[in-house]
Amino acid sequence: STVNQSVSQLKNIFDSAWGGFGKAPKFPSTMNIEVLLRQLLAGEDAELEEMVKTSLDAMASGGMYDHIGGGFSRYSVDAQWLVPHFEKMLYDNAQLLGLYSEAYLITKEPRFKKVVYQSFEFLKRELLGAAYYSALDADSEGREGKYYIWTEEEFNEALGADAGLAKELYEVGG
């Protein structure tokens, strides 16, 4: 069937080390993961479940996800999901909100539920006015990501004694 062919192709291009599909720049590929989730519902397949969990964990653990404010940047400029393109778009976040919601319902992974709640709060706080705004621009004062990037001094000051551990956990360069 067409679905089986699609799943077979997704297995061939899956990045088993970092999740997702293909090389950098790496986009969330929500529709591809949706296909895998649908197949999981059709029957147990440990390989598909691992592909879904690896991808969703990597996206939510890396720099593409805003660990402070919630929500996802448009894509990662590298294959490891570490360096985001800082633009946050409504439709990307809406698709990811649905994807993580479905993944939580299927897998019962609490970390997926946490991403759903944080992302929803981000959408309400940052993109809701009289209607929803379509995006937050990546550029601030003529530089991509300037608003989001902390200096090492700001990072150390904000985290105090926990700065060293946070740098290690989040792979922050000094």
Side-chain angles (χ1 to χ4, degrees), residues 67-86:
H67 296 269
I68 296 172
F72 288 87
S73 294
R74 177 86 176 98
Y75 61 90
S76 177
V77 300
D78 62 289
Q80 295 86 16
W81 307 103
L82 293 176
V83 181
H85 170 67
F86 289 96

Side-chain angles (χ1 to χ4, degrees), residues 38-126:
R38 296 288 182 275
Q39 286 303 102
L40 272 176
L41 285 173
E44 285 192 33
D45 184 329
E47 183 179 8
L48 296 183
E49 185 170 359
E50 187 60 29
M51 290 170 69
V52 168
K53 286 181 178 180
T54 298
S55 297
L56 295 182
D57 282 338
M59 288 188 292
S61 297
M64 197 178 99
Y65 185 69
D66 185 336
H67 296 269
I68 296 172
F72 288 87
S73 294
R74 177 86 176 98
Y75 61 90
S76 177
V77 300
D78 62 289
Q80 295 86 16
W81 307 103
L82 293 176
V83 181
H85 170 67
F86 289 96
E87 183 176 31
K88 290 182 175 178
M89 299 185 74
L90 174 64
Y91 82 92
D92 288 326
N93 277 278
Q95 288 178 335
L96 287 161
L97 186 69
L99 180 64
Y100 277 85
S101 295
E102 285 187 59
Y104 170 71
L105 291 173
I106 293 168
T107 66
K108 302 297 187 228
E109 293 290 344
R111 59 192 178 274
F112 297 161
K113 182 178 179 180
K114 181 179 178 184
V115 168
V116 169
Y117 280 89
Q118 288 177 331
S119 295
F120 183 70
E121 288 302 316
F122 156 74
L123 291 172
K124 284 192 328 185
R125 185 183 63 253
E126 301 291 334

Side-chain angles (χ1 to χ4, degrees), residues 121-155:
E121 288 302 316
F122 156 74
L123 291 172
K124 284 192 328 185
R125 185 183 63 253
E126 301 291 334
L127 294 180
L128 181 60
Y132 275 99
Y133 304 113
S134 63
L136 295 177
D137 196 351
D139 293 335
S140 309
E141 300 175 25
R143 283 189 39 220
E144 181 178 335
K146 183 177 181 192
Y147 174 79
Y148 296 99
I149 297 173
W150 295 10
T151 65
E152 185 172 9
E153 182 179 291
E154 291 169 329
F155 189 88

